[in-house]
Amino acid sequence: LLNDDDALELFKQTLPSPSLLQTKTSMKAVRQQALAMLRTVRKSADPRMDLVMLALSGRSKNFDKVLKMIDEMVALLGKEQADDDAKKAYCESKLDEAEDQLKELDGSLSDLKKDIANEQESIAKLTDEIDALVAGIKALDKAVAEATETRKAENAEYKDTMASDGAAKELIGVAKNRLNKFYNPKLYVPPPEAQ
């Protein structure tokens, strides 16, 4: 069944390389492969990584120390990653809180700006009303002053008229008395004697 040409073609299509073959690797090849991987992945100058690479490039046949160092490094990196994740979560929560506070402050600021605009508008209206009232008071004062002048003039004219009327009445009384002296002597009143 597996010897058939169709089966061979099927295996060639599904498996690009003959991965079913068993390969033998030596400890030296594993060491060289690990060293090559560490050199390509190396991003920072970590002295522990340098020590592992030195141990791999050495001629030592015992990997127990290297494996122990690698295990310790993996555990330390895991702990550092957990610490970093916790710090990241803390920082994200603080950033969210800061953003919420910023939104609240922006809302408060916009509300205050609206209130200020409304108050300024009210102040402008009140200022206009006050100006109109002041102008009305000035006009009223002017009208009162004119009315006072008119009343004073009318009063002076009234006094002059009353004085003229009084003098005219007195003159008419004197003329009447003289007429009475001639026409009706009983009603005649002699003028008082000057002393």
Coordinates of all heavy atoms in Angstrom, one line a residue, residues 57-93:
S57 N 30.5 27.4 24.3 CA 31.6 27.4 23.3 C 32.8 26.7 23.9 O 33.7 26.4 23.2 CB 32.0 28.8 22.9 OG 32.4 29.5 24.0
G58 N 32.8 26.4 25.2 CA 33.9 25.8 25.8 C 33.9 24.3 25.5 O 33.0 23.7 24.9
R59 N 34.9 23.5 25.9 CA 35.1 22.1 25.6 C 34.6 21.3 26.8 O 34.8 20.1 26.8 CB 36.6 21.8 25.4 CG 37.2 22.6 24.3 CD 36.8 22.0 23.0 NE 37.4 22.8 21.9 CZ 36.8 23.1 20.8 NH1 35.5 22.8 20.7 NH2 37.4 23.8 19.9
S60 N 33.8 21.9 27.7 CA 33.3 21.1 28.8 C 32.3 20.1 28.4 O 31.5 20.3 27.5 CB 32.7 22.0 29.8 OG 32.1 21.3 30.8
K61 N 32.4 18.9 28.9 CA 31.4 17.8 28.5 C 30.2 17.8 29.4 O 29.2 17.2 29.1 CB 32.2 16.5 28.6 CG 33.3 16.4 27.6 CD 33.6 15.0 27.3 CE 34.8 15.1 26.3 NZ 34.8 14.1 25.3
N62 N 30.3 18.5 30.5 CA 29.2 18.4 31.5 C 28.3 19.7 31.4 O 28.8 20.8 31.5 CB 29.7 18.3 32.9 CG 28.6 18.0 33.9 OD1 27.5 17.9 33.5 ND2 29.0 17.8 35.1
F63 N 27.0 19.6 31.0 CA 26.1 20.7 30.8 C 25.3 21.0 32.1 O 24.4 21.8 32.0 CB 25.2 20.4 29.7 CG 25.7 20.8 28.4 CD1 26.2 19.9 27.5 CD2 25.8 22.2 28.0 CE1 26.7 20.3 26.3 CE2 26.3 22.6 26.8 CZ 26.8 21.6 25.9
D64 N 25.5 20.3 33.2 CA 24.7 20.5 34.3 C 24.7 21.9 34.8 O 23.7 22.5 35.1 CB 25.1 19.5 35.5 CG 24.8 18.1 35.1 OD1 24.0 17.9 34.2 OD2 25.4 17.2 35.8
K65 N 25.9 22.5 34.9 CA 26.0 23.9 35.4 C 25.3 24.8 34.4 O 24.6 25.8 34.8 CB 27.5 24.3 35.5 CG 28.2 23.6 36.7 CD 29.6 24.1 36.7 CE 30.3 23.4 37.9 NZ 31.7 23.8 37.9
V66 N 25.5 24.6 33.1 CA 24.9 25.5 32.1 C 23.4 25.3 32.1 O 22.7 26.3 32.1 CB 25.4 25.1 30.7 CG1 24.7 25.9 29.6 CG2 26.9 25.4 30.6
L67 N 22.9 24.1 32.2 CA 21.4 23.9 32.3 C 20.9 24.5 33.6 O 19.8 25.1 33.5 CB 21.1 22.4 32.3 CG 21.4 21.7 30.9 CD1 21.1 20.2 31.0 CD2 20.6 22.3 29.8
K68 N 21.6 24.4 34.7 CA 21.1 25.0 35.9 C 21.1 26.6 35.8 O 20.1 27.2 36.2 CB 22.1 24.7 37.1 CG 21.6 25.2 38.4 CD 22.6 24.8 39.5 CE 22.2 25.5 40.8 NZ 23.1 25.2 41.8
M69 N 22.1 27.1 35.1 CA 22.1 28.6 34.9 C 21.0 29.0 34.0 O 20.3 30.0 34.2 CB 23.5 29.0 34.3 CG 24.6 29.0 35.3 SD 26.3 29.2 34.6 CE 26.1 30.6 33.6
I70 N 20.7 28.2 32.9 CA 19.6 28.5 32.0 C 18.3 28.4 32.7 O 17.4 29.3 32.6 CB 19.7 27.6 30.8 CG1 20.9 27.9 29.9 CG2 18.4 27.7 30.0 CD1 21.1 26.9 28.8
D71 N 18.1 27.4 33.6 CA 16.9 27.3 34.3 C 16.7 28.5 35.3 O 15.6 29.0 35.4 CB 16.9 26.0 35.1 CG 16.7 24.8 34.2 OD1 16.2 24.9 33.1 OD2 17.0 23.6 34.7
E72 N 17.8 28.9 36.0 CA 17.7 30.0 36.8 C 17.4 31.3 36.0 O 16.6 32.1 36.5 CB 19.0 30.2 37.6 CG 19.3 29.2 38.6 CD 20.7 29.3 39.3 OE1 21.4 30.2 38.8 OE2 21.0 28.5 40.2
M73 N 18.0 31.4 34.9 CA 17.7 32.6 34.0 C 16.3 32.6 33.5 O 15.6 33.7 33.6 CB 18.7 32.6 32.8 CG 18.6 33.9 32.0 SD 19.6 34.0 30.6 CE 21.2 33.7 31.2
V74 N 15.8 31.5 33.2 CA 14.4 31.4 32.7 C 13.4 31.7 33.9 O 12.4 32.5 33.7 CB 14.1 30.0 32.1 CG1 12.6 29.8 32.0 CG2 14.8 29.8 30.8
A75 N 13.7 31.2 35.1 CA 12.9 31.5 36.2 C 13.0 33.0 36.6 O 11.9 33.6 36.8 CB 13.4 30.7 37.4
L76 N 14.2 33.6 36.5 CA 14.3 35.0 36.8 C 13.6 35.9 35.7 O 12.9 36.8 36.1 CB 15.8 35.4 36.8 CG 16.1 36.9 37.1 CD1 15.6 37.2 38.5 CD2 17.6 37.1 36.9
L77 N 13.7 35.5 34.5 CA 13.0 36.2 33.4 C 11.5 36.1 33.6 O 10.8 37.0 33.3 CB 13.4 35.7 32.0 CG 14.9 36.1 31.6 CD1 15.2 35.4 30.3 CD2 15.0 37.6 31.5
G78 N 11.0 34.9 34.0 CA 9.6 34.7 34.3 C 9.1 35.6 35.4 O 8.1 36.3 35.3
K79 N 9.9 35.7 36.4 CA 9.6 36.6 37.6 C 9.6 38.1 37.1 O 8.7 38.8 37.5 CB 10.6 36.4 38.7 CG 10.3 37.2 39.9 CD 11.3 37.0 41.0 CE 11.0 37.9 42.2 NZ 12.1 38.6 42.7
E80 N 10.6 38.4 36.4 CA 10.7 39.8 35.9 C 9.5 40.1 35.0 O 9.0 41.2 35.0 CB 12.0 40.1 35.1 CG 13.2 40.1 36.1 CD 14.5 40.3 35.3 OE1 14.5 40.3 34.0 OE2 15.6 40.4 36.0
Q81 N 9.1 39.1 34.1 CA 8.0 39.3 33.2 C 6.7 39.5 34.1 O 5.9 40.4 33.7 CB 7.8 38.2 32.3 CG 6.7 38.3 31.3 CD 7.0 39.5 30.3 OE1 8.1 39.7 29.8 NE2 5.9 40.3 30.1
A82 N 6.5 38.7 35.1 CA 5.4 38.9 36.0 C 5.4 40.3 36.6 O 4.3 40.9 36.7 CB 5.3 37.8 37.0
D83 N 6.5 40.7 37.1 CA 6.6 42.0 37.7 C 6.3 43.1 36.7 O 5.6 44.1 37.0 CB 8.1 42.3 38.3 CG 8.3 41.4 39.5 OD1 7.4 40.9 40.1 OD2 9.5 41.3 39.9
D84 N 6.9 42.9 35.5 CA 6.6 43.9 34.4 C 5.1 43.9 34.1 O 4.5 45.0 33.8 CB 7.4 43.6 33.1 CG 8.9 43.9 33.3 OD1 9.2 44.6 34.3 OD2 9.7 43.4 32.5
D85 N 4.4 42.8 34.0 CA 3.0 42.7 33.7 C 2.2 43.4 34.8 O 1.3 44.1 34.5 CB 2.5 41.2 33.6 CG 3.1 40.6 32.3 OD1 3.5 41.3 31.4 OD2 3.1 39.3 32.3
A86 N 2.6 43.2 36.1 CA 1.9 43.9 37.2 C 2.1 45.4 37.1 O 1.1 46.1 37.3 CB 2.4 43.3 38.5
K87 N 3.3 45.8 36.8 CA 3.6 47.2 36.7 C 2.8 47.8 35.5 O 2.3 48.9 35.5 CB 5.1 47.5 36.5 CG 5.9 47.3 37.7 CD 7.4 47.5 37.5 CE 8.2 47.3 38.8 NZ 9.6 47.4 38.5
K88 N 2.7 47.1 34.4 CA 2.0 47.5 33.2 C 0.5 47.7 33.6 O -0.1 48.7 33.2 CB 2.2 46.5 32.1 CG 1.4 47.0 30.8 CD 1.6 46.0 29.7 CE 0.8 46.4 28.5 NZ 0.8 45.3 27.5
A89 N 0.0 46.7 34.3 CA -1.5 46.8 34.7 C -1.7 48.0 35.6 O -2.7 48.7 35.4 CB -1.9 45.5 35.4
Y90 N -0.8 48.2 36.5 CA -0.9 49.3 37.4 C -0.8 50.7 36.7 O -1.7 51.5 36.9 CB 0.2 49.3 38.5 CG 0.3 50.5 39.4 CD1 -0.6 50.7 40.4 CD2 1.3 51.5 39.1 CE1 -0.5 51.8 41.2 CE2 1.4 52.6 39.9 CZ 0.5 52.7 41.0 OH 0.5 53.9 41.8
C91 N 0.1 50.7 35.7 CA 0.3 51.9 34.9 C -1.0 52.2 34.1 O -1.4 53.3 33.9 CB 1.5 51.9 34.1 SG 3.1 52.0 35.0
E92 N -1.5 51.1 33.5 CA -2.7 51.3 32.7 C -3.9 51.7 33.5 O -4.7 52.6 33.0 CB -3.0 49.9 31.9 CG -2.1 49.6 30.8 CD -2.3 48.3 30.2 OE1 -3.1 47.5 30.8 OE2 -1.7 48.0 29.1
S93 N -4.0 51.2 34.7 CA -5.1 51.6 35.6 C -4.9 53.1 35.9 O -5.9 53.9 36.0 CB -5.2 50.8 36.8 OG -4.1 51.0 37.7

